[in-house]
Amino acid sequence: MTNKQEQNILQIKHVAFSITKRIIFRKMKTHKNAIAFTLMTFCCLTLQLNAQAKTNSDPNLRLWYDHPATKWVEALPIGNGRLAAMIYGTPEKEELQLNEGTVWAGEPGNNLNPETGKAVPVIRKLLVTGQYDEAQKYANTHVHSTDDGMPYQPVGSLFIEFPGQEQYTHYYRDLNIGNATASVSYQVNDVTYKRTIFSSFPDQVIIVRLTANKPHSITCNLSMKSPQKHELSTNKDELILNGTTGDHEGKKGQVQFVSLTKAVLSGGTLRSDSANLFISNADTVTLYISIATNFKNYCNLTIDAEKKANNYLTAALTKPYDEALQVQKKAYQHYFDRVTLNLGVTDSVKNATDKRLEQFAHDNDPQLVALYFQFGRYLLISSSEPGGQPATLQGIWNNEMLPPWDSKYTININTEMNYWPSEITNLSEMQQPLFSMLQDLSVTGKQSARETYGARGWMTHHNTDIWRITDPVDGAFDWGLWPMGGAWLTQNIWSHYLYTGDKAFLKKYLPVLKGACQYFADVLQPYPDSHWLVVAPSDSPEHEYTYNGGKNAAITAGATMDNQMVFDLFSEMIAASHILNQDHSFADTLRAMGNQLPPMQIGKYGQLQEWMHDWDDPTDHHRHVSHLYGAFPSDQISPYHTPQLFEAARTSLIERGDVSTGWSMGWKVNLWARFLDGNHAYKLIRDQLTPLGGQEGGGTYPNLFDAHPPFQIDGNFGCTSGIADMLLQSQDGFIYLLPALPDAWETGEVTGLRAQGGFEIKTIEWKDGKIVRLIIKSNLGGNCRLRVNNPLKEIGGVGIKEAKGINPNPFFQLPKIKEPIISPEAKMQSISLKKSYLYDIPTKADETYSFSTLN
Ligand code: FUC
């Protein structure tokens, strides 16, 4: 059966299932029919099994290569949110470069320097009197924290040498993202060797299985290397590495880690010396790699690392290999199988992944986009599991002691971008580590709020790390004195609520949201000659402006992005207070202050102004497009509700250009989706899926890691989110299906995406750009307002009607955006929107609704 046939059968089963389920539900309501329930459970199981069989065997869910990796960015990543490896797949010497999520340099402690607190009032005064350049110079000399954050660091590498295997044939290696296993196979002297490697979430170990198709064929030596301070030893069949992380910028490396590699043989013999294991003539070898550290939380390093590593290992050894593989697949597929994407398959799919990437600009290879999309989901599951640390700048994969930007959390775009795909691509649980970090920051960030700014609540600047530092990093300059980290990160609390309707979650995190608001309620400053309140000092991330005919500064008061973010933050707290019926008087204060935030402004080129003054330069291609936060990820700029701002934001994006750093292109895919221009969004995907070196700026490495360059994982996540946003949006008061479909994807199917209001878009199938089949599950009930580009009819007659007025569903309420101030020089054009149809469907919780095209 071809993959296409397999998918068709699955689709037919989906329809059959939803119809059967509807009939059965009706029956259950009237007769409480037990037989019907059994039948439904059977249907559910059959479907689940089919979906699983599909992802297990789908050849389109593989990154594969016909040669070993020679560079780190060719190696293939596995991970369970805590334990990760990069696999090179070299026959004669395998390398597994190992990471554990809590192996960071340094020790607990914040990075406050009292000098910053003293400098803030001086900088503020210079800013409000228009002395920007002077404010910048003063900040540059006076803002220096005690440290600039600690680097995330590697554990080391496990090497498996296979003497005499330098000459091989029939080489193949892959990463199957359908079941999260990597494999390598090749032939030496008529013997076929195979390696299967995975990082198990249920068992918390990495397992390497070595097999050969002839008995007694596996002879190999195991050793380890680490760039950390470490000691190597062995204990019979176990290779042991004890290490301590690096000192950095005055902080002592205090994370102790233990790596245990246990070899289990069938057949053959094993001997060891002080630092190596030697295996001879085995039939199969299974290696269990267990790593643990003394890290308990950001302020506590009291875990017994050796005991923890031993406990994981002992427990893992009780399970037969096949069972360990099955439980890992099941745990992974629980998340991964929720979404499928089919954009069509061409012959290009037969080529190795690196060849496809090279040819993507010239080939018709829609499946590479689907693979890249699913790879983003794979990376999020593998680097951000509940209970672990949030995905860093490189996810969880890093081989350097001093990685780029320390591979820490850059929170003026990059960490937020990591989580953009989480809700829409049905991986809501993967946000848990981020929420947990927010809770930590709401404690450590109180110190910065109080001591650096004299404010209540909590705050953080543009970087943090595992110790949850909150004061400026790398000086003031174009980046450091940006007090908005808390404001941006907390948006995820609200969007999680909008997607899930989880009130208990909202209640739990309300203190975090409230603390972030308290800080801004205390620090907003009156803007001269106006009634406005603004954030000062701040910057529009990493971007300088030129004023007074040639002076430069980045430090500013009232950057557009800050106004937008404080507006969101306050609106969210006001809404949360209403939903949870608490903090009403604080909400009133925020309402009054929110009314004094400046409106967005449209400058002389018709652009959305990035700053309070019309300083924008239309020839500037800076990678950050911070003022467009209002269009994505926020919902303040809309073609339907704020058309002038929509047009201005679009003009700004056109002027910024397309090709840029990897993550910048990822952001632009989302923005072009929000501007309802599928072809432009697709152009950005092409730019991003360009091998590095093929253009100025970023692109993609052979292992599909995003290239800033260097590797940053944010671009992977940004583009994954953008692809989803081209197919589904729900921020604008309705659910828009296929809002930005490019001509290149005229036929396809996506299953399992999520929308605000607890709607799961079980299936959208389209042909020639038109939806032909649609299945939506309502988890919370309520009005489902749909916008579609072709007319639909509901199957089952629950009542689809043309939508009118404001959407009554509480998850789709839009805050009122102030009218923009428009420069008299701006030549505004009115926007023209594609014809679309707006429907209302009343839904009940846990019911599924099917639609087809209206011919
Ligand atoms: C921001 C960006 C850089 C880089 C760094 C990690 O500072 O401006 O381009 O991505 O984060």
Side-chain angles (χ1 to χ4, degrees):
M1 197 174 355
T2 67
N3 181 47
K4 184 71 200 156
Q5 284 165 332
E6 214 173 82
Q7 283 177 359
N8 286 341
I9 289 174
L10 199 70
Q11 283 165 16
I12 293 163
K13 285 183 179 163
H14 265 299
V15 180
F17 173 63
S18 76
I19 294 168
T20 319
K21 195 182 148 201
R22 185 83 51 77
I23 295 165
I24 292 167
F25 263 127
R26 277 192 201 134
K27 281 199 163 191
M28 280 176 78
K29 272 179 210 153
T30 47
H31 308 297
K32 298 206 168 36
N33 191 322
I35 299 170
F37 180 75
T38 317
L39 180 58
M40 190 181 77
T41 313
F42 173 75
C43 282
C44 275
L45 277 174
T46 317
L47 267 177
Q48 242 171 21
L49 288 174
N50 271 313
Q52 254 166 36
K54 186 171 160 249
T55 44
N56 270 332
S57 61
D58 190 342
N60 301 332
L61 288 177
R62 282 199 185 131
L63 282 71
W64 73 269
Y65 305 83
D66 56 13
H67 57 88
T70 54
K71 297 186 195 108
W72 192 81
V73 287
E74 292 174 5
L76 293 171
I78 57 164
N80 67 2
R82 186 182 72 85
L83 266 187
M86 292 291 285
I87 303 158
Y88 283 71
T90 311
E92 69 273 24
K93 189 175 185 179
E94 179 60 273
E95 176 174 358
L96 263 68
Q97 185 266 308
L98 299 167
N99 285 106
E100 201 276 356
T102 61
V103 174
W104 286 67
E107 60 190 322
N110 209 334
N111 66 338
L112 267 70
N113 178 348
E115 293 310 309
T116 306
K118 289 185 203 149
V120 165
V122 183
I123 299 165
R124 233 173 226 164
K125 208 162 174 191
L126 290 167
L127 282 173
V128 294
T129 50
Q131 301 177 72
Y132 309 113
D133 177 32
E134 292 76 2
Q136 184 73 64
K137 286 186 181 132
Y138 189 87
N140 292 354
T141 46
H142 288 83
V143 175
H144 299 288
S145 300
T146 52
D147 70 74
D148 290 323
M150 296 295 118
Y152 173 52
Q153 297 190 323
V155 167
S157 286
L158 173 72
F159 295 97
I160 317 169
E161 279 182 77
F162 297 83
Q165 296 200 351
E166 292 77 12
Q167 305 298 324
Y168 49 84
T169 57
H170 300 85
Y171 183 88
Y172 172 87
R173 76 184 162 107
D174 74 5
L175 175 66
N176 181 340
I177 61 169
N179 62 22
T181 59
S183 74
V184 183
S185 62
Y186 54 91
Q187 218 171 299
V188 177
N189 298 334
D190 292 343
V191 181
T192 301
Y193 293 89
K194 189 166 182 203
R195 300 169 194 165
T196 307
I197 309 164
F198 57 94
S199 179
S200 169
F201 183 74
D203 289 317
Q204 290 296 316
V205 288
I206 292 174
I207 299 182
V208 182
R209 175 79 155 181
L210 308 175
T211 55
N213 68 346
K214 286 198 181 142
H216 319 306
S217 299
I218 304 175
T219 294
C220 59
N221 310 331
L222 270 61
S223 60
M224 282 195 86
K225 273 192 185 149
S226 173
Q228 306 269 13
K229 283 170 270 173
H230 71 280
E231 277 174 19
L232 286 171
S233 58
T234 57
N235 178 12
K236 297 183 198 142
D237 49 6
E238 230 171 86
L239 193 55
I240 304 165
L241 183 144
N242 280 285
T244 308
T245 57
D247 305 340
H248 189 71
E249 295 179 357
K251 273 186 166 174
K252 196 161 165 44
Q254 297 277 24
V255 176
Q256 287 158 15
F257 58 93
V258 178
S259 162
L260 307 173
T261 304
K262 171 112 177 163
V264 176
L265 276 56
S266 89
T269 56
L270 183 147
R271 73 183 172 82
S272 59
D273 65 13
S274 59
N276 300 274
L277 302 183
F278 303 95
I279 295 168
S280 303
N281 306 322
D283 300 331
T284 63
V285 175
T286 312
L287 305 176
Y288 295 84
I289 304 165
S290 175
I291 306 174
T293 76
N294 61 346
F295 181 92
K296 185 169 184 196
N297 61 45
Y298 74 91
C299 57
N300 182 328
L301 296 177
T302 59
I303 296 285
D304 182 337
E306 199 169 326
K307 193 165 159 206
K308 190 172 174 186
N310 259 312
N311 287 349
Y312 285 142
L313 185 61
T314 314
L317 287 168
T318 59
K319 217 172 264 173
Y321 169 78
D322 287 335
E323 193 187 329
L325 181 62
Q326 286 319 315
V327 296
Q328 153 59 18
K329 282 184 184 174
K330 197 168 161 224
Y332 170 76
Q333 288 169 347
H334 170 65
Y335 300 121
F336 186 79
D337 285 359
R338 292 172 182 173
V339 170
T340 65
L341 176 60
N342 178 4
L343 297 173
V345 179
T346 62
D347 268 358
S348 302
V349 82
K350 293 185 193 135
N351 296 332
T353 306
D354 45 354
K355 303 275 170 337
R356 290 171 72 186
L357 185 65
E358 278 162 26
Q359 290 164 11
F360 186 63
H362 322 287
D363 270 7
N364 175 20
D365 189 359
Q367 211 286 324
L368 188 65
V369 178
L371 180 69
Y372 188 77
F373 167 82
Q374 290 288 31
F375 184 55
R377 295 184 67 245
Y378 167 83
L379 292 173
L380 192 60
I381 302 169
S382 308
S383 63
S384 185
E385 291 266 357
Q389 293 299 314
T392 72
L393 196 64
Q394 298 184 184
I396 194 172
W397 299 278
N398 164 43
N399 63 339
E400 295 176 52
M401 291 291 276
L402 281 177
W405 292 281
D406 295 332
S407 186
K408 52 186 185 285
Y409 302 104
T410 305
I411 52 182
N412 64 5
I413 173 66
N414 317 81
T415 305
E416 287 85 356
M417 188 175 279
N418 285 0
Y419 288 90
W420 286 352
S422 55
E423 298 293 338
I424 190 168
T425 79
N426 216 334
L427 297 175
S428 197
E429 295 91 333
M430 274 61 236
Q431 292 222 67
Q432 190 276 334
L434 185 76
F435 296 140
S436 168
M437 178 165 87
L438 265 165
Q439 215 148 26
D440 299 344
L441 288 169
S442 74
V443 177
T444 57
K446 276 192 182 134
Q447 212 188 343
S448 284
R450 191 176 56 240
E451 293 173 30
T452 308
Y453 293 93
R456 293 169 301 159
W458 69 275
M459 64 83 59
T460 181
H461 291 83
H462 95 298
N463 270 210
T464 191
D465 61 12
I466 199 164
W467 315 115
R468 311 312 190 216
I469 56 160
T470 53
D471 244 29
V473 156
D474 297 333
F477 305 99
D478 293 0
W479 43 77
L481 211 53
W482 182 78
M484 309 303 295
W488 198 346
L489 283 173
T490 43
Q491 309 295 331
N492 287 45
I493 293 175
W494 184 247
S495 74
H496 181 72
Y497 171 73
L498 285 183
Y499 274 83
T500 61
D502 184 346
K503 276 196 196 165
F505 166 84
L506 189 61
K507 192 154 181 76
K508 180 174 173 198
Y509 285 92
L510 193 76
V512 178
L513 196 60
K514 186 176 174 185
C517 290
Q518 278 173 324
Y519 168 74
F520 287 102
D522 284 2
V523 299
L524 286 180
Q525 302 291 310
Y527 195 75
D529 308 322
S530 76
H531 303 294
W532 297 335
L533 291 175
V534 296
V535 181
S538 185
D539 53 62
S540 190
E542 318 217 2
H543 200 192
E544 290 185 1
Y545 51 87
T546 305
Y547 72 103
N548 273 3
K551 286 187 169 183
N552 284 331
I555 287 214
T556 197
T560 300
M561 182 199 226
D562 293 0
N563 304 333
Q564 295 167 341
M565 283 203 295
V566 176
F567 177 81
D568 276 349
L569 187 64
F570 284 6
S571 309
E572 289 158 11
M573 181 65 205
I574 293 165
S577 132
H578 176 71
I579 293 161
L580 301 172
N581 194 19
Q582 64 183 82
D583 292 300
H584 295 295
S585 75
F586 184 55
D588 288 342
T589 308
L590 297 184
R591 205 171 280 117
M593 294 188 88
N595 286 337
Q596 287 179 266
L597 292 168
M600 285 182 256
Q601 303 186 65
I602 296 174
K604 56 180 176 289
Y605 306 108
Q607 89 286 7
L608 181 70
Q609 269 181 220
E610 184 163 353
W611 297 276
M612 289 289 274
H613 294 276
D614 198 350
W615 289 323
D616 301 67
D617 169 1
T619 63
D620 170 9
H621 292 169
H622 197 271
R623 62 197 180 283
H624 286 262
V625 286
S626 305
H627 48 321
L628 303 187
Y629 160 90
F632 186 94
S634 186
D635 55 9
Q636 296 174 32
I637 297 175
S638 143
Y640 296 97
H641 304 109
T642 58
Q644 289 173 316
L645 287 169
F646 179 85
E647 187 52 25
R650 215 176 143 268
T651 302
S652 292
L653 189 59
I654 292 169
E655 285 168 355
R656 277 290 159 85
D658 292 342
V659 173
S660 187
T661 59
W663 62 258
S664 178
M665 292 190 279
W667 195 349
K668 289 169 187 170
V669 177
N670 293 274
L671 284 166
W672 282 113
R674 288 283 164 102
F675 295 146
L676 307 178
D677 188 338
N679 286 337
H680 207 140
Y682 183 64
K683 149 107 182 23
L684 260 304
I685 295 174
R686 285 205 158 205
D687 291 339
Q688 199 167 347
L689 281 173
T690 297
L692 195 64
Q695 63 191 1
E696 279 198 11
T700 298
Y701 291 110
N703 63 358
L704 298 191
F705 271 173
D706 176 71
H708 177 289
F711 164 52
Q712 284 187 198
I713 206 157
D714 42 19
N716 285 95
F717 293 137
C719 191
T720 298
S721 153
I723 293 165
D725 239 59
M726 291 164 77
L727 303 170
L728 172 72
Q729 294 177 24
S730 59
Q731 77 287 348
D732 207 9
F734 47 81
I735 298 172
Y736 199 162
L737 302 165
L738 306 185
L741 196 67
D743 296 340
W745 303 344
E746 58 173 17
T747 294
E749 186 194 34
V750 62
T751 68
L753 294 181
R754 291 221 170 217
Q756 285 179 196
F759 293 104
E760 185 170 349
I761 315 304
K762 289 271 179 202
T763 301
I764 313 173
E765 188 189 340
W766 68 94
K767 285 205 171 73
D768 303 324
K770 290 197 173 108
I771 295 176
V772 291
R773 200 164 64 84
L774 170 67
I775 303 173
I776 297 181
K777 179 167 181 234
S778 171
N779 287 317
L780 305 172
N783 186 53
C784 177
R785 179 164 289 184
L786 290 181
R787 187 178 288 280
V788 278
N789 294 329
N790 61 287
L792 287 185
K793 70 173 175 203
E794 201 261 338
I795 308 166
V798 291
I800 179 170
K801 57 177 193 298
E802 203 183 308
K804 291 224 167 62
I806 290 175
N807 187 349
N809 188 319
F811 293 97
F812 290 83
Q813 303 312 307
L814 297 172
K816 177 117 192 67
I817 304 298
K818 281 187 184 169
E819 284 298 316
I821 297 175
I822 304 177
S823 159
E825 292 169 61
K827 292 191 185 69
M828 299 302 292
Q829 286 162 12
S830 59
I831 58 169
S832 72
L833 295 171
K834 211 180 335 198
K835 180 165 174 54
S836 62
Y837 304 81
L838 198 62
Y839 297 115
D840 276 343
I841 302 107
T843 72
K844 291 201 179 112
D846 297 323
E847 292 269 350
T848 300
Y849 302 86
S850 301
F851 307 83
S852 68
T853 189
L854 182 69
N855 292 313

